Amino acid sequence: SLEDLKARYYTIARRLLVAREGGEAPVANDVLVKHPYNKEHDLERKRGIEMMQKRTRQELDQENAIIAEARQVEEDRRVEAEAAAAAAAAAAAAAAAPPVPPTAAPGVGPQPLAAAGRIPGAPIATGTVQDCLRFPESFPADPGPRMPSLLTADLQPVRPPPGVYARGVHAIGAANAAMASMPGGQKAQKMAEQILLDLGWPGAISGPRVATRPVCAAWLALRAEVNALVEFKRVVAGRFGDGGGDKKKRRR
């Protein structure tokens, strides 16, 4: 066969080359010595080529479909890895950013009172429970066209810089920033944490497990209500202390 002829030719050529140089060491890097002819490998290579040429159109389409699916899986994994890295970077940036006091907006956040001396964050007492709510009872899953799904600590829609953001991580960062900016300092923060612990729900501190827009909005509303309650207690305690001092002075 052709392979037998090639094997005999390359064997003789290699022996002549080694004999001419007096050993294999001087010609160790020569192709005939470094890569001797392999008859079995050549036969296997030819059988593989014949199998490739005998494939039908259906087999080629199936192979192309498998290759395209594998490429899509690799692309999905790459996108997921980039999204996870961007979410981690956004969470780190939110944790490192200085706390910004929350701003109120009409119709969504805390509503101002016309009367002077209103305690910040206190609900408006008009006689019904619904009137005392600072936030809506439910939140839509669809924010509407051209509206971002991320929210601030006051449940205001926020449009961050372009990138990939994890809604749950963003909500936790916004709530922590709002707690860090409380007027009472660490004492007020500890009081708010204790109130959240008293609720008996670990998610009140750790964050929402299902990070949909309604869940994150309700969780942010809970944290905002707790912050408002702590501020209410702090201001009432301060006013009560001033009133007690005036009574003592009058008694004297």
Side-chain angles (χ1 to χ4, degrees):
S1 64
L2 177 61
E3 287 74 19
D4 294 333
L5 293 175
K6 291 170 66 175
R8 182 180 301 176
Y9 168 78
Y10 285 117
T11 301
I12 296 174
R14 184 172 63 256
R15 289 179 179 177
L16 290 174
L17 179 63
V18 172
R20 188 183 301 116
E21 297 296 334
E24 292 187 0
V27 292
N29 292 328
D30 192 277
V31 177
L32 292 175
V33 178
K34 190 174 182 179
H35 302 288
Y37 176 74
N38 189 337
K39 177 182 174 181
E40 298 299 331
H41 176 74
D42 198 7
L43 292 173
E44 186 68 23
R45 180 181 61 84
K46 289 184 178 181
R47 282 194 293 267
I49 294 175
E50 291 177 357
M51 291 178 60
M52 294 286 291
Q53 293 177 347
K54 291 180 180 179
R55 288 183 303 172
T56 62
R57 183 64 183 177
Q58 183 179 2
E59 292 176 346
L60 290 175
D61 293 340
Q62 291 178 354
E63 183 177 350
N64 292 333
I66 293 174
I67 294 174
E69 185 177 356
R71 290 177 179 174
Q72 185 62 38
V73 170
E74 292 179 356
E75 181 66 18
D76 293 342
R77 290 180 179 177
R78 184 185 64 81
V79 172
E80 290 178 0
E82 292 179 355
V100 179
T103 57
V108 179
Q111 305 296 324
L113 281 178
R118 174 179 176 265
I119 299 173
I124 304 174
T126 56
T128 63
V129 176
Q130 285 73 15
D131 293 335
C132 294
L133 293 176
R134 301 173 66 243
F135 300 107
E137 294 183 356
S138 59
F139 304 90
D142 185 8
R146 308 180 74 84
M147 289 294 293
S149 63
L150 300 180
L151 301 170
T152 64
D154 282 338
L155 275 71
Q156 296 292 328
V158 59
R159 193 182 301 277
V164 181
Y165 296 88
R167 189 183 294 111
V169 176
H170 184 275
I172 295 173
N176 292 338
M179 180 179 289
S181 63
M182 295 177 64
Q186 293 184 356
K187 183 177 180 181
Q189 296 175 18
K190 291 182 179 179
M191 186 181 300
E193 291 178 356
Q194 186 59 44
I195 294 175
L196 294 171
L197 290 174
D198 293 341
L199 295 176
W201 175 45
I205 296 179
S206 61
R209 291 185 178 180
V210 183
T212 61
R213 188 175 187 271
V215 173
C216 289
W219 185 79
L220 287 172
L222 171 65
R223 296 292 296 262
E225 293 287 355
V226 171
N227 294 347
L229 175 61
V230 172
E231 178 64 11
F232 180 83
K233 290 183 177 182
R234 187 184 68 84
V235 176
V236 169
R239 292 184 178 181
F240 181 77
D242 295 342
D246 294 340
K247 291 181 179 179
K248 292 181 180 180
K249 291 180 181 180
R250 286 195 295 269
R251 288 178 182 177
R252 291 178 183 176

